[in-house]
């Protein structure tokens, strides 16, 4: 990893360990929109970011980095949660809107980038792109899912949304979870 960052804002705590591929110098996360009301952590690559960036620049959006992920922040300003259907790429996204106090977790349609979560209730969710990160958290229940253990030798993988742990799920591909202080709402964007 080339970079490590964390952020606490409102009730949202996010962090990222990244390998710098695009925009090595100024692509550190989190990324923000113009007024810093949108906070983004993401894993992946947005293939159509050059085209999206040009469209957004013509509309007056100003970019601070060359990171392909910054387009996500400005697309949220333009389209709200509908932004995810505009993306062509592989991604696992955590986008926090400081105005509405909502967190959006999104996973690419092909399902190339994993995104795991554990719902602790009352709007508290632990999430990560690696299962081992969630399991390290002290509040994560570590009960095994015996059906998943049974499924693994049959399919040679564990079908989404299940994981080896009963209380940890994988966000299904092409889906968003909208999280506020009380609820988790699942939305299919493709």
């Amino acid at each position: 990893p080339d970079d490590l960052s964390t952020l606490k804002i409102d009730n949202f705590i996010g962090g990222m360990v990244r390998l710098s591929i695009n925009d090595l110098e100024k692509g550190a996360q989190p990324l923000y929109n113009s007024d810093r009301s949108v906070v983004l952590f993401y894993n992946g690559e947005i293939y159509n970011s050059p085209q999206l960036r040009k469209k957004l620049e013509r509309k007056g959006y100003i970019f601070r980095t060359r990171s392909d992920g910054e387009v996500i922040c400005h697309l949220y300003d333009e389209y709200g949660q509908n932004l995810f259907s505009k993306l062509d790429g592989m991604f696992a996204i955590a986008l926090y809107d400081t105005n509405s106090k909502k967190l959006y977790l999104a996973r690419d349609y092909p399902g190339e980038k994993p995104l795991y979560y554990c719902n602790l209730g009352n709007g508290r969710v632990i999430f990560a792109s690696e299962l081992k990160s969630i399991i390290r958290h002290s509040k994560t229940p570590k009960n095994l899912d015996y059906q998943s253990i049974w499924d693994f030798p049959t399919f040679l993988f564990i079908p989404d949304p299940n994981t080896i742990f009963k209380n940890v799920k994988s966000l299904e591909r092409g889906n968003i979870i909208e999280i506020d202080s009380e609820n988790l709402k699942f939305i299919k964007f493709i």
Side-chain angles (χ1 to χ4, degrees):
D2 303 308
D3 192 18
L4 167 67
S5 61
T6 58
L7 172 77
K8 182 179 185 320
I9 186 166
D10 302 325
N11 289 327
F12 172 74
I13 301 170
M16 177 74 163
V17 177
R18 83 178 184 122
L19 178 61
S20 303
I21 296 173
N22 290 329
D23 198 4
L24 302 178
E25 294 175 15
K26 296 182 182 173
Q29 295 188 33
L31 295 166
Y32 301 92
N33 64 344
S34 299
D35 68 2
R36 296 176 71 90
S37 64
V38 172
V39 179
L40 174 79
F41 287 98
Y42 101 108
N43 178 20
E45 184 177 355
I46 308 304
Y47 305 138
N48 63 338
S49 69
Q51 297 88 347
L52 293 170
R53 178 183 292 261
K54 285 178 188 173
K55 286 180 185 178
L56 290 165
E57 285 174 335
R58 283 194 295 266
K59 291 184 174 197
Y61 290 94
I62 297 169
F63 287 80
R64 293 186 191 107
T65 73
R66 289 189 326 240
S67 171
D68 58 336
E70 190 177 358
V71 299
I72 299 166
C73 300
H74 299 302
L75 283 170
Y76 181 78
D77 286 338
E78 192 69 22
Y79 301 106
Q81 73 181 30
N82 294 325
L83 83 93
F84 301 107
S85 64
K86 312 272 184 223
L87 300 177
D88 177 17
M90 56 177 178
F91 55 83
I93 293 172
L95 184 145
Y96 181 67
D97 180 337
T98 64
N99 293 325
S100 68
K101 308 283 191 257
K102 289 184 179 178
L103 172 65
Y104 296 92
L105 301 178
R107 186 173 177 208
D108 62 338
Y109 180 71
E112 292 181 63
K113 291 294 179 182
L115 185 54
Y116 301 100
Y117 66 95
C118 178
N119 182 4
L120 300 175
N122 299 323
R124 296 177 306 140
V125 175
I126 302 167
F127 64 92
S129 58
E130 291 189 11
L131 196 54
K132 65 183 176 182
S133 299
I134 293 179
I135 296 309
R136 290 186 64 186
H137 195 286
S138 63
K139 300 243 188 245
T140 303
K142 306 203 179 40
N143 307 15
L144 293 175
D145 182 339
Y146 295 109
Q147 181 62 51
S148 293
I149 293 170
W150 181 263
D151 288 345
F152 185 77
T154 304
F155 301 115
L156 299 179
F157 68 95
I158 297 171
D160 288 340
N162 297 326
T163 69
I164 197 80
F165 298 99
K166 188 179 288 188
N167 300 94
V168 178
K169 300 297 180 191
S170 174
L171 181 59
E172 293 186 68
R173 61 192 188 101
N175 276 267
I176 305 165
I177 303 176
E178 178 186 275
I179 304 162
D180 61 27
S181 63
E182 298 175 9
N183 299 305
L184 268 71
K185 179 179 175 185
F186 293 84
I187 305 162
K188 194 161 191 70
F189 68 85
I190 296 271

